[in-house]
Amino acid sequence: FPVIVLVAVISIFIWLQWAITNSEFIKEFLFGERPTEIDEINYFLFTKYSGLLLLGVFPCFVCSRLLPQYSFSDYGLSNSINLVSFYWILAMGIIIIILNWLIAKKKKTHLICPLILKHEWNAKRISIYSVSIGVYLFSVELLFRGILFFPAKG
């Protein structure tokens, strides 16, 4: 029974994240009818960090309350560093950066991802976007690989 409640609660968190990401009402409420470049950047960051909370932190909290017999290490979180995984992540990160750099030059990509053309990209902005996307992807991976796949283990 706790697993069913957990999946239902997580479904609500996923829906809330989808609503925040796709809501024109929230955009207008936060930034008005004509958002500036800074507003668009802040909204992008808002969606990523709300994803951290709604798809990572809150589901972990609910999971720890509904299934207290399990620790966070059972969901894939631990203090130890697996160097093999780290090297794979580093290698894949380098490959993805190179591929994105090559793809970003194509006009077709600009139609799919207009954010590429909207802003002047400097090292600070790239760092801010990279960290926010990394945090968001960590929470999504934790949710799907750790929390939602966890009931399938047992």
mmCIF file of all heavy atoms in Angstrom, residues 20-47:
data_model
loop_
_atom_site.group_PDB
_atom_site.id
_atom_site.type_symbol
_atom_site.label_atom_id
_atom_site.label_comp_id
_atom_site.label_asym_id
_atom_site.label_seq_id
_atom_site.Cartn_x
_atom_site.Cartn_y
_atom_site.Cartn_z
ATOM 1 N N ILE A 20 4.121 23.939 -14.044
ATOM 2 C CA ILE A 20 5.008 25.092 -13.872
ATOM 3 C C ILE A 20 5.780 25.374 -15.154
ATOM 4 O O ILE A 20 5.917 26.512 -15.584
ATOM 5 C CB ILE A 20 5.987 24.845 -12.697
ATOM 6 C CG1 ILE A 20 5.233 24.961 -11.376
ATOM 7 C CG2 ILE A 20 7.158 25.821 -12.727
ATOM 8 C CD1 ILE A 20 6.041 24.526 -10.166
ATOM 9 N N THR A 21 6.267 24.329 -15.782
ATOM 10 C CA THR A 21 7.075 24.486 -16.987
ATOM 11 C C THR A 21 6.256 24.999 -18.165
ATOM 12 O O THR A 21 6.753 25.770 -18.977
ATOM 13 C CB THR A 21 7.733 23.137 -17.356
ATOM 14 O OG1 THR A 21 8.490 22.690 -16.239
ATOM 15 C CG2 THR A 21 8.632 23.276 -18.542
ATOM 16 N N ASN A 22 4.996 24.611 -18.260
ATOM 17 C CA ASN A 22 4.189 24.944 -19.438
ATOM 18 C C ASN A 22 3.146 26.024 -19.208
ATOM 19 O O ASN A 22 2.362 26.309 -20.109
ATOM 20 C CB ASN A 22 3.503 23.677 -19.952
ATOM 21 C CG ASN A 22 4.499 22.679 -20.458
ATOM 22 O OD1 ASN A 22 5.326 22.991 -21.292
ATOM 23 N ND2 ASN A 22 4.456 21.475 -19.933
ATOM 24 N N SER A 23 3.113 26.621 -18.059
ATOM 25 C CA SER A 23 2.049 27.554 -17.734
ATOM 26 C C SER A 23 2.354 28.981 -18.207
ATOM 27 O O SER A 23 3.302 29.612 -17.738
ATOM 28 C CB SER A 23 1.814 27.577 -16.221
ATOM 29 O OG SER A 23 0.899 28.584 -15.886
ATOM 30 N N GLU A 24 1.542 29.461 -19.106
ATOM 31 C CA GLU A 24 1.649 30.861 -19.524
ATOM 32 C C GLU A 24 1.196 31.784 -18.398
ATOM 33 O O GLU A 24 1.694 32.892 -18.256
ATOM 34 C CB GLU A 24 0.811 31.112 -20.786
ATOM 35 C CG GLU A 24 1.367 30.434 -22.024
ATOM 36 C CD GLU A 24 2.759 30.925 -22.403
ATOM 37 O OE1 GLU A 24 3.037 32.133 -22.256
ATOM 38 O OE2 GLU A 24 3.568 30.084 -22.828
ATOM 39 N N PHE A 25 0.252 31.315 -17.590
ATOM 40 C CA PHE A 25 -0.235 32.104 -16.461
ATOM 41 C C PHE A 25 0.901 32.410 -15.488
ATOM 42 O O PHE A 25 1.047 33.541 -15.020
ATOM 43 C CB PHE A 25 -1.370 31.364 -15.740
ATOM 44 C CG PHE A 25 -1.800 32.026 -14.467
ATOM 45 C CD1 PHE A 25 -2.600 33.166 -14.497
ATOM 46 C CD2 PHE A 25 -1.389 31.533 -13.245
ATOM 47 C CE1 PHE A 25 -2.984 33.794 -13.325
ATOM 48 C CE2 PHE A 25 -1.769 32.147 -12.062
ATOM 49 C CZ PHE A 25 -2.566 33.285 -12.103
ATOM 50 N N ILE A 26 1.696 31.400 -15.179
ATOM 51 C CA ILE A 26 2.814 31.602 -14.247
ATOM 52 C C ILE A 26 3.829 32.561 -14.848
ATOM 53 O O ILE A 26 4.340 33.450 -14.158
ATOM 54 C CB ILE A 26 3.469 30.259 -13.860
ATOM 55 C CG1 ILE A 26 2.499 29.449 -12.999
ATOM 56 C CG2 ILE A 26 4.777 30.481 -13.115
ATOM 57 C CD1 ILE A 26 2.986 28.074 -12.635
ATOM 58 N N LYS A 27 4.109 32.421 -16.135
ATOM 59 C CA LYS A 27 5.049 33.343 -16.786
ATOM 60 C C LYS A 27 4.547 34.779 -16.686
ATOM 61 O O LYS A 27 5.287 35.692 -16.336
ATOM 62 C CB LYS A 27 5.230 32.973 -18.255
ATOM 63 C CG LYS A 27 6.118 31.811 -18.492
ATOM 64 C CD LYS A 27 6.269 31.592 -19.987
ATOM 65 C CE LYS A 27 6.982 30.319 -20.285
ATOM 66 N NZ LYS A 27 7.078 30.048 -21.720
ATOM 67 N N GLU A 28 3.283 34.998 -17.025
ATOM 68 C CA GLU A 28 2.721 36.352 -16.972
ATOM 69 C C GLU A 28 2.652 36.865 -15.540
ATOM 70 O O GLU A 28 2.886 38.046 -15.295
ATOM 71 C CB GLU A 28 1.345 36.374 -17.625
ATOM 72 C CG GLU A 28 1.392 36.243 -19.125
ATOM 73 C CD GLU A 28 0.015 36.283 -19.752
ATOM 74 O OE1 GLU A 28 -0.943 36.752 -19.093
ATOM 75 O OE2 GLU A 28 -0.109 35.840 -20.909
ATOM 76 N N PHE A 29 2.304 35.996 -14.599
ATOM 77 C CA PHE A 29 2.226 36.400 -13.194
ATOM 78 C C PHE A 29 3.593 36.840 -12.677
ATOM 79 O O PHE A 29 3.709 37.847 -11.977
ATOM 80 C CB PHE A 29 1.681 35.252 -12.343
ATOM 81 C CG PHE A 29 1.618 35.553 -10.883
ATOM 82 C CD1 PHE A 29 0.623 36.376 -10.372
ATOM 83 C CD2 PHE A 29 2.568 35.032 -10.017
ATOM 84 C CE1 PHE A 29 0.561 36.669 -9.019
ATOM 85 C CE2 PHE A 29 2.514 35.315 -8.656
ATOM 86 C CZ PHE A 29 1.519 36.138 -8.156
ATOM 87 N N LEU A 30 4.626 36.114 -13.024
ATOM 88 C CA LEU A 30 5.960 36.431 -12.529
ATOM 89 C C LEU A 30 6.615 37.594 -13.259
ATOM 90 O O LEU A 30 7.334 38.386 -12.656
ATOM 91 C CB LEU A 30 6.868 35.201 -12.619
ATOM 92 C CG LEU A 30 6.534 34.039 -11.697
ATOM 93 C CD1 LEU A 30 7.427 32.844 -12.004
ATOM 94 C CD2 LEU A 30 6.680 34.443 -10.242
ATOM 95 N N PHE A 31 6.371 37.715 -14.563
ATOM 96 C CA PHE A 31 7.158 38.654 -15.354
ATOM 97 C C PHE A 31 6.355 39.650 -16.179
ATOM 98 O O PHE A 31 6.934 40.472 -16.874
ATOM 99 C CB PHE A 31 8.086 37.882 -16.294
ATOM 100 C CG PHE A 31 8.884 36.830 -15.587
ATOM 101 C CD1 PHE A 31 8.772 35.513 -15.946
ATOM 102 C CD2 PHE A 31 9.730 37.167 -14.553
ATOM 103 C CE1 PHE A 31 9.501 34.539 -15.290
ATOM 104 C CE2 PHE A 31 10.472 36.212 -13.892
ATOM 105 C CZ PHE A 31 10.352 34.894 -14.266
ATOM 106 N N GLY A 32 5.050 39.574 -16.142
ATOM 107 C CA GLY A 32 4.259 40.498 -16.942
ATOM 108 C C GLY A 32 4.088 40.006 -18.365
ATOM 109 O O GLY A 32 4.470 38.894 -18.721
ATOM 110 N N GLU A 33 3.525 40.861 -19.196
ATOM 111 C CA GLU A 33 3.217 40.460 -20.563
ATOM 112 C C GLU A 33 4.440 40.466 -21.473
ATOM 113 O O GLU A 33 4.484 39.762 -22.463
ATOM 114 C CB GLU A 33 2.131 41.360 -21.140
ATOM 115 C CG GLU A 33 0.787 41.141 -20.478
ATOM 116 C CD GLU A 33 -0.296 41.991 -21.094
ATOM 117 O OE1 GLU A 33 -0.095 42.506 -22.210
ATOM 118 O OE2 GLU A 33 -1.341 42.145 -20.457
ATOM 119 N N ARG A 34 5.407 41.322 -21.167
ATOM 120 C CA ARG A 34 6.609 41.410 -22.003
ATOM 121 C C ARG A 34 7.848 41.119 -21.164
ATOM 122 O O ARG A 34 8.477 42.033 -20.638
ATOM 123 C CB ARG A 34 6.716 42.788 -22.633
ATOM 124 C CG ARG A 34 5.616 43.060 -23.602
ATOM 125 C CD ARG A 34 5.828 44.355 -24.285
ATOM 126 N NE ARG A 34 4.734 44.584 -25.199
ATOM 127 C CZ ARG A 34 4.750 45.495 -26.135
ATOM 128 N NH1 ARG A 34 5.783 46.287 -26.243
ATOM 129 N NH2 ARG A 34 3.726 45.641 -26.935
ATOM 130 N N PRO A 35 8.200 39.856 -21.081
ATOM 131 C CA PRO A 35 9.362 39.522 -20.256
ATOM 132 C C PRO A 35 10.665 39.998 -20.896
ATOM 133 O O PRO A 35 10.816 39.969 -22.120
ATOM 134 C CB PRO A 35 9.322 38.001 -20.169
ATOM 135 C CG PRO A 35 8.505 37.555 -21.318
ATOM 136 C CD PRO A 35 7.564 38.680 -21.646
ATOM 137 N N THR A 36 11.577 40.432 -20.071
ATOM 138 C CA THR A 36 12.898 40.835 -20.541
ATOM 139 C C THR A 36 13.788 39.592 -20.648
ATOM 140 O O THR A 36 13.390 38.493 -20.265
ATOM 141 C CB THR A 36 13.541 41.838 -19.570
ATOM 142 O OG1 THR A 36 13.757 41.175 -18.321
ATOM 143 C CG2 THR A 36 12.645 43.054 -19.357
ATOM 144 N N GLU A 37 14.982 39.790 -21.138
ATOM 145 C CA GLU A 37 15.926 38.680 -21.258
ATOM 146 C C GLU A 37 16.250 38.098 -19.880
ATOM 147 O O GLU A 37 16.302 36.884 -19.709
ATOM 148 C CB GLU A 37 17.212 39.167 -21.935
ATOM 149 C CG GLU A 37 18.243 38.087 -22.106
ATOM 150 C CD GLU A 37 19.488 38.583 -22.819
ATOM 151 O OE1 GLU A 37 19.404 39.542 -23.598
ATOM 152 O OE2 GLU A 37 20.553 37.992 -22.579
ATOM 153 N N ILE A 38 16.419 38.962 -18.905
ATOM 154 C CA ILE A 38 16.695 38.498 -17.543
ATOM 155 C C ILE A 38 15.508 37.712 -16.997
ATOM 156 O O ILE A 38 15.684 36.690 -16.321
ATOM 157 C CB ILE A 38 17.035 39.695 -16.620
ATOM 158 C CG1 ILE A 38 18.299 40.401 -17.111
ATOM 159 C CG2 ILE A 38 17.182 39.252 -15.182
ATOM 160 C CD1 ILE A 38 19.541 39.539 -17.105
ATOM 161 N N ASP A 39 14.283 38.162 -17.285
ATOM 162 C CA ASP A 39 13.088 37.428 -16.852
ATOM 163 C C ASP A 39 13.057 36.017 -17.445
ATOM 164 O O ASP A 39 12.715 35.054 -16.764
ATOM 165 C CB ASP A 39 11.814 38.167 -17.253
ATOM 166 C CG ASP A 39 11.615 39.443 -16.471
ATOM 167 O OD1 ASP A 39 12.207 39.563 -15.385
ATOM 168 O OD2 ASP A 39 10.870 40.316 -16.954
ATOM 169 N N GLU A 40 13.402 35.903 -18.720
ATOM 170 C CA GLU A 40 13.401 34.598 -19.367
ATOM 171 C C GLU A 40 14.453 33.677 -18.760
ATOM 172 O O GLU A 40 14.205 32.484 -18.549
ATOM 173 C CB GLU A 40 13.623 34.749 -20.868
ATOM 174 C CG GLU A 40 12.449 35.371 -21.574
ATOM 175 C CD GLU A 40 12.695 35.569 -23.063
ATOM 176 O OE1 GLU A 40 13.776 35.189 -23.551
ATOM 177 O OE2 GLU A 40 11.799 36.094 -23.726
ATOM 178 N N ILE A 41 15.609 34.228 -18.451
ATOM 179 C CA ILE A 41 16.662 33.442 -17.806
ATOM 180 C C ILE A 41 16.188 32.992 -16.423
ATOM 181 O O ILE A 41 16.342 31.826 -16.050
ATOM 182 C CB ILE A 41 17.969 34.252 -17.709
ATOM 183 C CG1 ILE A 41 18.540 34.476 -19.103
ATOM 184 C CG2 ILE A 41 18.986 33.555 -16.807
ATOM 185 C CD1 ILE A 41 19.670 35.469 -19.149
ATOM 186 N N ASN A 42 15.614 33.925 -15.670
ATOM 187 C CA ASN A 42 15.118 33.583 -14.330
ATOM 188 C C ASN A 42 14.015 32.542 -14.389
ATOM 189 O O ASN A 42 13.941 31.666 -13.528
ATOM 190 C CB ASN A 42 14.638 34.833 -13.602
ATOM 191 C CG ASN A 42 15.782 35.720 -13.179
ATOM 192 O OD1 ASN A 42 16.914 35.274 -13.044
ATOM 193 N ND2 ASN A 42 15.499 36.993 -12.992
ATOM 194 N N TYR A 43 13.147 32.621 -15.377
ATOM 195 C CA TYR A 43 12.082 31.627 -15.515
ATOM 196 C C TYR A 43 12.676 30.256 -15.834
ATOM 197 O O TYR A 43 12.238 29.244 -15.296
ATOM 198 C CB TYR A 43 11.086 32.038 -16.593
ATOM 199 C CG TYR A 43 9.955 31.057 -16.720
ATOM 200 C CD1 TYR A 43 8.986 30.967 -15.728
ATOM 201 C CD2 TYR A 43 9.863 30.201 -17.802
ATOM 202 C CE1 TYR A 43 7.944 30.051 -15.817
ATOM 203 C CE2 TYR A 43 8.836 29.284 -17.903
ATOM 204 C CZ TYR A 43 7.882 29.224 -16.905
ATOM 205 O OH TYR A 43 6.872 28.307 -16.996
ATOM 206 N N PHE A 44 13.664 30.226 -16.720
ATOM 207 C CA PHE A 44 14.335 28.960 -17.036
ATOM 208 C C PHE A 44 14.935 28.358 -15.771
ATOM 209 O O PHE A 44 14.754 27.178 -15.482
ATOM 210 C CB PHE A 44 15.426 29.194 -18.088
ATOM 211 C CG PHE A 44 16.212 27.969 -18.423
ATOM 212 C CD1 PHE A 44 15.734 27.073 -19.359
ATOM 213 C CD2 PHE A 44 17.419 27.704 -17.809
ATOM 214 C CE1 PHE A 44 16.449 25.926 -19.673
ATOM 215 C CE2 PHE A 44 18.149 26.561 -18.111
ATOM 216 C CZ PHE A 44 17.664 25.673 -19.043
ATOM 217 N N LEU A 45 15.639 29.177 -15.003
ATOM 218 C CA LEU A 45 16.241 28.697 -13.756
ATOM 219 C C LEU A 45 15.169 28.285 -12.754
ATOM 220 O O LEU A 45 15.322 27.280 -12.047
ATOM 221 C CB LEU A 45 17.149 29.774 -13.162
ATOM 222 C CG LEU A 45 18.369 30.143 -14.011
ATOM 223 C CD1 LEU A 45 19.128 31.293 -13.365
ATOM 224 C CD2 LEU A 45 19.271 28.960 -14.238
ATOM 225 N N PHE A 46 14.075 29.038 -12.702
ATOM 226 C CA PHE A 46 12.960 28.704 -11.813
ATOM 227 C C PHE A 46 12.404 27.325 -12.143
ATOM 228 O O PHE A 46 12.139 26.520 -11.244
ATOM 229 C CB PHE A 46 11.876 29.779 -11.926
ATOM 230 C CG PHE A 46 10.611 29.458 -11.198
ATOM 231 C CD1 PHE A 46 10.568 29.479 -9.812
ATOM 232 C CD2 PHE A 46 9.461 29.136 -11.890
ATOM 233 C CE1 PHE A 46 9.397 29.191 -9.133
ATOM 234 C CE2 PHE A 46 8.290 28.842 -11.230
ATOM 235 C CZ PHE A 46 8.249 28.864 -9.844
ATOM 236 N N THR A 47 12.248 27.021 -13.432
ATOM 237 C CA THR A 47 11.707 25.715 -13.808
ATOM 238 C C THR A 47 12.667 24.594 -13.437
ATOM 239 O O THR A 47 12.241 23.529 -12.995
ATOM 240 C CB THR A 47 11.383 25.640 -15.309
ATOM 241 O OG1 THR A 47 12.569 25.864 -16.070
ATOM 242 C CG2 THR A 47 10.323 26.646 -15.692
#
